[in-house]
Amino acid sequence: MRELHIVRGRLTPAAKQESDYLLIPFDVPPGMRRLEVKYTYEKHGGETVVDLGLFDARGATFLQAAGFRGWSGSERDHVVLTEESATPGYLPGPILPGRWHVVLGVYKVAAKGSDYEVEIRMSDAPGVPPYSPPRPLPSATSQRAGPLWLRGDLHCHTHHSDGKASVAELATIAQERGLDFVAVTDHNTISHHSYLPAASDDRLTLIPGEEVTTYYGHANVWGLNQWVDFRCRTPEDVRAAFLWAQSRGGIVSINHPKAGGPPWEFGYDVPFTCMEVWHGYPHYNHEPLGVWERLLQQGRRIVGVGGSDTHLLPPPAAREFPIRLGRPTTYVWAETNTVDAILAGIRQGRVVISCDVDGPRMEMTLHLDGRTFHVGQTLSVSRGRALTVEVKVHKGRGGVLEIVHDGRVVESTRISKDDVGHTMRIKPVKSGYVRAQIRAEEGDSRVWSSLPLLALTNPVYIHILEGD
Ligand SMILES: [Zn+2]
Ligand SMILES: [Zn+2]
């Protein structure tokens, strides 16, 4: 038994004004075991870009879309699903009878409009598997004794969206780079999640993630095994989607908030925990740090993280390829090397970022009355009392250690040895924060982007006790 549906229509700027997503319904009869979708549209030299996704009979409603079956952006014009296997980006499983929807995401459309054609084929025979990578059994991972600083990368892509590597290839590169964890954050899908346990082992923890990729900004969600709806157009949509994810245990991080695309256009009055303050792109890399600083000065508590946003795994010869896994590297203080422990460390803000896997590493603590406060923690103190700021730097030689207090550099000292410790006293008069960073000197070969830093810590927050 076979069925073929062909749907033709026209996309226009006026229709995009109404909605960014066009749902095309079609009915699946009982007994189907293979579904294929192909689409074409008039591209008008790139003025029109249309993305593809699919929902099954369990539903396609925003934030209640139990029927999510996959998303491929504009990467693929032909996708196949069977019970056992699916094109990367799509979820294998029963071809449930009932009303399904193809979703066309209208990223942009030429002023003159674009005709499209969607071809849907169904068959009761599963046919050739569309994707059959080796699926080794999950390895018996043992937990490391901790707590310990783990180094990782919180943002990268595989061929489950627009990246080039499989999950297994990504894991191999991560181990060669010496990373302890990698969050795999494919765009708008979770089809990679089922491949993560098998590619993880004692040395490498792969964290399930999704880059929630709206047409107005991107955000990572880590630690959820459920798909997060990305079809957001307004700050209210984003707030609802983030709350949905957070209430189920996900951590939300706003990605690459910079002018040089894609920016974050929803504003920051939405619930999120982290911000990607250092990303893999050489250009505009200084901008997110400025956004973070401004929000910290407004009293917000946001965990700064790094993420390379690697899509390609460069061949070994491409030593100078700027975007690489682990560039920058995010250090997380974790009780052990499980996904939950790493995510708990991130939530607590026990996070330091370095320019590369072999870049400088730093630790900052504040001290008061014999007590020690780590990054991410809050110290309560009377106005004007002196605190000690202590910074330890490993492999920082040649940089300039800066201590930043409420947006101002209050201490600046050249690092002349590989391992140094530095202390200073501050007397805060208002609630705020202290963080530390290593600024590179002109011409430092370790700098690969427009952000002239070698490392930075998250803040220790200071709460001034009133009335005494
Ligand atoms: Zn992005
Ligand atoms: Zn990305």
Side-chain angles (χ1 to χ4, degrees):
M1 183 170 61
R2 291 171 185 275
E3 283 215 17
L4 171 65
H5 299 264
I6 293 180
V7 181
R8 296 190 182 90
R10 185 164 180 77
L11 302 165
T12 62
K16 181 172 167 65
Q17 286 268 307
E18 288 295 308
S19 175
D20 291 323
Y21 300 97
L22 176 66
L23 284 171
I24 300 172
F26 64 97
D27 290 323
V28 174
M32 291 301 175
R33 298 185 65 195
R34 183 181 182 91
L35 177 73
E36 297 189 36
V37 179
K38 289 184 186 174
Y39 78 129
T40 56
Y41 58 93
E42 293 178 305
K43 297 191 169 71
H44 296 310
E47 283 181 55
T48 299
V49 176
V50 179
D51 298 331
L52 180 70
L54 193 61
F55 291 96
D56 72 20
R58 291 169 296 176
T61 308
F62 180 60
L63 292 181
Q64 300 166 35
F68 175 75
R69 289 301 289 266
W71 179 258
S72 45
S74 55
E75 272 298 292
R76 303 174 194 278
D77 54 15
H78 178 198
V79 304
V80 183
L81 287 82
T82 71
E83 186 155 354
E84 300 296 329
S85 140
T87 304
Y90 290 77
L91 301 173
I95 308 302
L96 300 167
R99 176 146 292 187
W100 288 50
H101 291 87
V102 167
V103 55
L104 295 184
V106 185
Y107 175 38
K108 51 186 183 174
V109 57
K112 58 188 157 196
S114 286
D115 289 336
Y116 68 84
E117 180 179 295
V118 178
E119 184 184 302
I120 301 155
R121 278 175 197 276
M122 291 172 257
S123 165
D124 59 359
V128 180
Y131 184 58
S132 51
R135 293 183 81 160
L137 292 170
S139 49
T141 55
S142 62
Q143 294 188 11
R144 284 195 219 166
L148 67 174
W149 283 108
L150 296 174
R151 57 183 182 183
D153 191 330
L154 287 167
H155 187 169
C156 68
H157 299 273
T158 70
H159 65 188
H160 287 267
S161 60
D162 55 351
K164 297 292 173 275
S166 67
V167 169
E169 288 165 337
L170 178 79
T172 300
I173 300 278
Q175 294 205 334
E176 285 170 8
R177 294 279 282 151
L179 295 173
D180 300 304
F181 66 88
V182 172
V184 188
T185 51
D186 276 307
H187 295 286
N188 293 347
T189 191
I190 55 169
S191 63
H192 52 295
H193 287 192
S194 62
Y195 296 93
L196 303 181
S200 300
D201 64 14
D202 298 359
R203 291 180 298 150
L204 177 69
T205 305
L206 294 177
I207 298 172
E210 175 184 336
E211 185 171 16
V212 176
T213 307
T214 81
Y215 295 139
Y216 313 95
H218 300 180
N220 276 338
V221 175
W222 305 301
L224 264 191
N225 279 311
Q226 298 173 76
W227 171 73
V228 183
D229 209 322
F230 55 86
R231 294 172 291 169
C232 301
R233 192 171 172 129
T234 65
E236 290 68 37
D237 295 341
V238 167
R239 185 172 299 115
F242 284 3
L243 288 173
W244 187 98
Q246 289 167 336
S247 69
R248 287 161 177 78
I251 302 181
V252 174
S253 179
I254 289 179
N255 288 347
H256 46 68
K258 60 190 168 83
W264 179 257
E265 299 177 37
F266 295 111
Y268 301 103
D269 190 21
V270 291
F272 62 99
T273 303
C274 300
M275 178 174 281
E276 191 177 81
V277 301
W278 196 336
H279 57 77
Y281 298 107
H283 309 296
Y284 307 102
N285 207 337
H286 56 288
E287 290 183 9
L289 188 68
V291 173
W292 187 48
E293 259 299 336
R294 179 165 57 78
L295 292 170
L296 291 175
Q297 287 173 46
Q298 289 169 6
R300 297 285 292 269
R301 296 185 177 195
I302 297 160
V303 181
V305 299
S308 69
D309 205 358
T310 303
H311 285 70
L312 294 164
L313 292 173
R319 284 266 169 252
E320 298 312 314
F321 187 80
I323 300 172
R324 307 189 70 187
L325 200 63
R327 187 186 274 178
T329 288
T330 301
Y331 284 90
V332 177
W333 182 256
E335 291 297 328
T336 180
N337 58 329
T338 61
V339 169
D340 287 348
I342 295 165
L343 295 179
I346 293 171
R347 254 184 230 288
Q348 289 163 20
R350 288 291 288 275
V351 175
V352 170
I353 311 172
S354 184
C355 57
D356 211 333
V357 286
D358 54 0
R361 199 176 76 213
M362 54 194 316
E363 275 188 76
M364 183 191 77
T365 45
L366 266 58
H367 302 272
L368 174 72
D369 297 336
R371 287 181 300 155
T372 297
F373 297 84
H374 297 279
V375 294
Q377 294 183 323
T378 301
L379 176 162
S380 294
V381 64
S382 309
R383 189 187 311 276
R385 272 203 67 188
L387 312 170
T388 303
V389 180
E390 180 180 13
V391 184
K392 291 179 182 158
V393 178
H394 176 58
K395 287 169 86 172
R397 185 204 296 256
V400 177
L401 172 63
E402 296 183 336
I403 294 171
V404 180
H405 181 198
D406 295 346
R408 282 193 314 121
V409 175
V410 293
E411 181 90 332
S412 181
T413 180
R414 197 154 191 288
I415 306 169
S416 55
K417 292 188 296 187
D418 259 348
D419 291 283
V420 293
H422 185 80
T423 59
M424 73 169 292
R425 303 277 279 174
I426 59 166
K427 288 184 181 175
V429 295
K430 64 181 179 65
S431 294
Y433 63 92
V434 178
R435 63 177 187 84
Q437 61 191 23
I438 303 174
R439 185 164 293 280
E441 299 253 59
E442 194 79 23
D444 191 316
S445 62
R446 291 170 289 183
V447 172
W448 45 264
S449 79
S450 67
L451 181 67
L453 294 186
L454 300 177
L456 66 83
T457 76
N458 265 269
V460 176
Y461 298 97
I462 295 168
H463 171 67
I464 296 293
L465 297 163
E466 299 295 343
D468 56 9

